[in-house]
Structure formats: structure tokens, C-alpha cells
Amino acid sequence: MKLYIKYMVSLRCKMVVHQELEKLGIKNAVVDLGTVELLDEISPEQRQILKENLLKTGLEVLDNKKSILIEKIKNVVIEMIHYSDELPKENFSDYISEKLGYDYTYLANTFSEVKGMTLQHFIIINKVEKVKELLLYDELNLTEISYKLNYSSVAHLSNQFKKITGLSPSFYKQLKQRRLGNLEDL
């Protein structure tokens, strides 16, 4: 049996789900981002209790097929950008389509219909979040970040970054350094 869980996008979320499953005496479960694979069936009562307990922590067990598909799309994008060492060399559309087994146009239209934003915009937002993270780590320069995230150029990365955040990547990095400097002055 497979359950799909909305907003489950971090290791902390996975730990919360594990804990809730253990409270219900459900031991044989594989918890991954957005999904829980149960080796045994659970009762409707257990499912309802799990649903209510997860909702208290901000997680939601999904029943609607479109909602489940949207979560699968979001999880593929988040995993692809935030949790893999290297982005796929193929187009994101081909990668997502192959990973989920659906035509990309169908996935993109469903995503836009339900989320009110294009799938492409969602990918860009996540790439910019990854850029922000990499800028804060200060291990890679902008050219290296651009290459790592498959941008065609530093200028392209900078333009997308500015459209999403309102700041240039270099100004964003300066803000971080100013904040650290201010903390040291305390």
C-alpha cells in the first residue's frame, strides 16, 4: 500500500512520518519524500488517525488523484534540484516525464491548473533557492554555480535570480556578509 503526503519535502518531515507510523504500531514502512510504502495494509481507523496526526504537523495525506500527481511532480523537481549531486543533462521536461511516466504536456497542464503557476516557473523558483543556498555556503563562485545548475550562462542565472528575488546574486551575497558582520559587532 502506498500513501502520498503533501508538504513532505525534507528529512525532518520523513522523521515526523516515521514517528507517527511507530505510534500506530506500523513498523514495515519505507518513507521517502512525499511517499510512504507500507508493506502491510492498514485499517481505515489507522489511516484516519495518521491523517489527523500528520495534519497537526503540517503534513497532509492525499486522496485525490490530481493532488497525488502534483505532489509527485513537486517531489521529482525538489529531489532533482536539491538532493542530487548533479542535475540531469537532458531537458527537465524529458527527465520529469520519464520519471513519472506521463507526457510532459499533460503534467505541465495539470500542474498549472492545480497550482496556478507553470511547472517551468516552479522549477525556476527551486533553482533560485538552490542558488541562494550555494551562495550562502560560499564554496562556489557564480560561474561554478551556473555550471552546476545547467544555466547557459552566468547572465541567464543572474536574470532569473533577479526576477525571483528582486536582488542580484552579488548583492544577495553582500547582504549575507553584512549580516555576519553585524552579528560580530554585538
Side-chain angles (χ1 to χ4, degrees), residues 3-18 21 30-37 54 57-62 71 74-76 78-79 83:
L3 300 175
Y4 295 92
I5 302 175
K6 190 173 185 176
Y7 308 121
M8 188 175 162
V9 295
S10 69
L11 298 176
R12 186 192 152 287
C13 293
K14 286 172 65 172
M15 288 178 15
V16 167
V17 172
H18 265 297
L21 289 169
V30 178
V31 180
D32 205 358
L33 290 179
T35 62
V36 176
E37 185 79 40
L54 289 178
T57 65
L59 301 173
E60 183 180 337
V61 177
L62 298 172
E71 282 307 301
K74 287 169 56 179
N75 287 330
V76 166
I78 289 166
E79 220 172 87
Y83 294 106

Side-chain angles (χ1 to χ4, degrees), residues 27-132:
K27 303 258 187 253
N28 297 328
V30 178
V31 180
D32 205 358
L33 290 179
T35 62
V36 176
E37 185 79 40
L38 300 171
L39 302 179
D40 303 318
E41 291 291 319
I42 61 172
S43 70
E45 293 81 21
Q46 285 177 310
R47 183 183 174 96
Q48 187 59 35
I49 292 169
L50 179 64
K51 201 173 182 175
E52 290 169 6
N53 289 347
L54 289 178
L55 202 52
K56 290 175 189 171
T57 65
L59 301 173
E60 183 180 337
V61 177
L62 298 172
D63 297 317
N64 175 315
K65 288 187 183 212
K66 272 191 180 178
S67 296
I68 291 170
L69 181 58
I70 297 305
E71 282 307 301
K72 285 181 179 180
I73 294 168
K74 287 169 56 179
N75 287 330
V76 166
V77 170
I78 289 166
E79 220 172 87
M80 173 180 72
I81 294 171
H82 297 282
Y83 294 106
S84 62
D85 291 333
E86 197 172 297
L87 292 180
K89 295 298 178 201
E90 63 192 307
N91 288 336
F92 290 155
S93 56
D94 293 339
Y95 178 81
I96 294 167
S97 181
E98 183 182 313
K99 200 83 159 136
L100 295 175
Y102 288 97
D103 177 64
Y104 182 77
T105 304
Y106 171 73
L107 294 172
N109 288 340
T110 303
F111 191 90
S112 295
E113 176 188 321
V114 173
K115 297 302 289 174
M117 79 167 71
T118 66
L119 179 50
Q120 191 61 35
H121 188 68
F122 182 74
I123 292 169
I124 291 168
I125 288 170
N126 276 278
K127 284 178 75 175
V128 167
E129 285 303 312
K130 183 67 175 182
V131 171
K132 287 163 64 176

Side-chain angles (χ1 to χ4, degrees), residues 122-162:
F122 182 74
I123 292 169
I124 291 168
I125 288 170
N126 276 278
K127 284 178 75 175
V128 167
E129 285 303 312
K130 183 67 175 182
V131 171
K132 287 163 64 176
E133 179 185 322
L134 292 171
L135 285 171
L136 292 177
Y137 285 149
D138 209 21
E139 294 174 0
L140 302 174
N141 64 37
L142 211 49
T143 303
E144 293 167 325
I145 293 171
S146 168
Y147 180 77
K148 180 178 179 69
L149 295 178
N150 291 348
Y151 278 98
S152 57
S153 67
V154 173
H156 184 218
L157 179 154
S158 295
N159 286 335
Q160 280 191 346
F161 192 92
K162 188 158 186 152

